[in-house]
Amino acid sequence: MARVLVVQHRQPHSNWVSPNSSLLNSALSDFHGAAALNISIQKRRRKWQPKGAVEVRASASSKNILIMGGTRFIGVFLSRLLVKEGHQVTLFTRGKTPITQQLPGESDQDYADFSSKILHLKGDRQDFEFVKTNLAAKGFDVVYDINGREAAEVEPILDGLPKLEQYIYCSSAGVYLKSDILPHFETDAVDPKSRHKGKLETENLLDSRGVNWTSLRPVYIYGPLNYNPVEEWFFHRLKAGRPIPIPNSGNQLTQLGHVKDLARAFVIVLGNSKASRQVYNISGSKYVTFDGLAKACAKAAGFPEPEIVHYNPKEFDFGKKKAFPFRDQVPSFH
């Protein structure tokens, strides 16, 4: 499916200039072939243009990195990139699932090499005193917070690591206020009542504490190991030979990005001075309609064109269950 990763960059309190710069070739996040990862940068009345493409490569020095989470989806791919670049990586988890798992297509040797280098700190991030004490003892240089949801969960990490070099946070594009004008820029209005309000509060906390932080706001993520039924929802219905129920006209637009591209974006901001105290939207560069996504999934899996049934969600009571995996972000087009 998607093959290009687009990063839209926000520098606080600056004027929007919108220069575009190709940073690295990507082979995953675009619905129509390979293209480039782009970055739109806000600057005060000036443009920044890099001299040619920049490869994802190791930092000048190895960092002692903590990943909060890291065993389910995004962190699985991120940790591999960081280890490959020579960093010391520790995963903080409750230890309820295996610390590592072999990926499809990963050789036994590569998996063994990776597993031998990964460290583990077992604990519950809700135990704030444990987090503060144990992180202080380890003295990590960088924290990747993949599973943080509330600002209160971040404070003990900052308290335990007063000399932290960078805090890199996984936020969400779900923080924005609904709008008919897309795509969202990082300067767009946010929704303080959204179900992701804790992530907004975390970004505000990081800013108020004066730490060097970077926040990535992915749209919808897809790819191997995805535990959130985004693309999987369509494939299950296609495999079962069932119709695809889509709310309203099905012409609503959305964007997706591949988990491997998101992991690479997380690596790009590591130690990057231009990413200091910045927010980045992350997604594939192409729009796709809900109907188009159903058809793309069918094509990718070798199924015939699906039977799509449109419905008015206001006519049904789904209770607390999520009837469709995407936000009905914008009014349908006719």
Side-chain angles (χ1 to χ4, degrees):
M1 293 219 264
R3 289 186 184 263
V4 163
L5 175 64
V6 166
V7 182
Q8 294 168 330
H9 175 195
R10 185 265 297 178
Q11 181 168 348
H13 314 302
S14 62
N15 295 321
W16 177 248
V17 178
S18 186
N20 292 320
S21 304
S22 174
L23 286 189
L24 72 97
N25 290 329
S26 169
L28 295 172
S29 292
D30 189 347
F31 276 77
H32 294 90
L37 184 151
N38 296 313
I39 184 167
S40 298
I41 304 178
Q42 293 183 46
K43 291 291 180 183
R44 285 196 176 105
R45 298 183 182 88
R46 70 184 183 89
K47 292 184 178 182
W48 169 75
Q49 185 77 24
K51 296 180 180 179
V54 177
E55 297 294 331
V56 179
R57 56 177 178 263
S59 301
S61 60
S62 175
K63 299 297 182 182
N64 184 11
I65 296 176
L66 175 69
I67 298 180
M68 301 299 290
T71 61
R72 297 184 70 189
F73 186 35
I74 300 169
V76 174
F77 297 95
L78 172 60
S79 59
R80 278 167 168 77
L81 293 180
L82 294 173
V83 166
K84 188 175 292 185
E85 291 197 354
H87 301 294
Q88 180 176 298
V89 178
T90 300
L91 306 183
F92 184 103
T93 78
R94 290 175 294 177
K96 294 186 176 182
T97 58
I99 303 309
T100 63
Q101 58 179 303
Q102 190 167 1
L103 296 175
E106 184 177 34
S107 71
D108 293 342
Q109 185 60 55
D110 285 347
Y111 176 62
D113 290 344
F114 167 73
S115 299
S116 68
K117 296 172 182 175
I118 280 289
L119 303 177
H120 181 231
L121 178 57
K122 182 179 178 179
D124 187 339
R125 71 178 297 164
Q126 299 300 323
D127 186 343
F128 296 161
E129 190 57 38
F130 174 88
V131 170
K132 179 180 177 180
T133 302
N134 280 269
L135 268 56
K138 300 290 184 181
F140 295 103
D141 301 319
V142 177
V143 171
Y144 278 96
D145 193 348
I146 303 301
N147 60 11
R149 293 184 176 275
E150 304 295 337
E153 302 170 345
V154 175
E155 290 196 74
I157 299 175
L158 300 180
D159 291 340
L161 299 170
K163 296 181 180 180
L164 188 68
E165 295 178 16
Q166 191 175 11
Y167 198 103
I168 303 174
Y169 186 61
C170 186
S171 186
S172 170
V175 301
Y176 293 107
L177 197 65
K178 284 188 177 181
S179 172
D180 294 342
I181 303 174
L182 295 174
H184 282 299
F185 289 149
E186 291 79 354
T187 49
D188 286 353
V190 293
D191 183 1
K193 296 181 180 180
S194 80
R195 70 185 187 93
H196 298 288
K197 64 180 181 179
K199 291 186 176 292
L200 275 178
E201 292 166 355
T202 298
E203 291 175 353
N204 291 333
L205 170 69
L206 292 169
D207 202 48
S208 68
R209 290 288 295 264
V211 299
N212 177 28
W213 61 275
T214 306
S215 182
L216 302 191
R217 293 175 178 172
V219 185
Y220 288 105
I221 314 165
Y222 73 98
L225 308 182
N226 193 0
Y227 56 86
N228 186 26
V230 177
E231 72 275 29
E232 180 185 6
W233 184 87
F234 293 91
F235 288 126
H236 277 320
R237 297 194 69 89
L238 289 165
K239 185 177 180 180
R242 303 177 68 185
I244 308 294
I246 294 180
N248 297 313
S249 74
N251 288 329
Q252 305 94 313
L253 296 174
T254 191
Q255 290 172 287
L256 298 94
H258 198 281
V259 63
K260 291 183 180 180
D261 281 338
L262 177 57
R264 295 175 76 194
F266 271 117
V267 174
I268 289 172
V269 300
L270 174 62
N272 189 333
S273 62
K274 297 183 185 300
S276 179
R277 306 182 76 176
Q278 305 301 317
V279 170
Y280 296 87
N281 291 339
I282 305 288
S283 77
S285 66
K286 297 286 187 178
Y287 291 114
V288 61
T289 65
F290 290 168
D291 281 7
L293 184 55
K295 294 174 183 178
C297 287
K299 184 177 180 180
F303 292 107
E305 186 161 312
E307 177 187 355
I308 295 175
V309 178
H310 297 122
Y311 66 94
N312 183 351
K314 294 181 180 180
E315 296 177 355
F316 298 88
D317 182 7
F318 297 107
K320 294 183 179 180
K321 293 184 177 180
K322 195 174 183 180
F324 189 70
F326 292 88
R327 293 182 291 274
D328 197 359
Q329 167 71 12
V330 295
S332 303
F333 294 94
H334 297 284

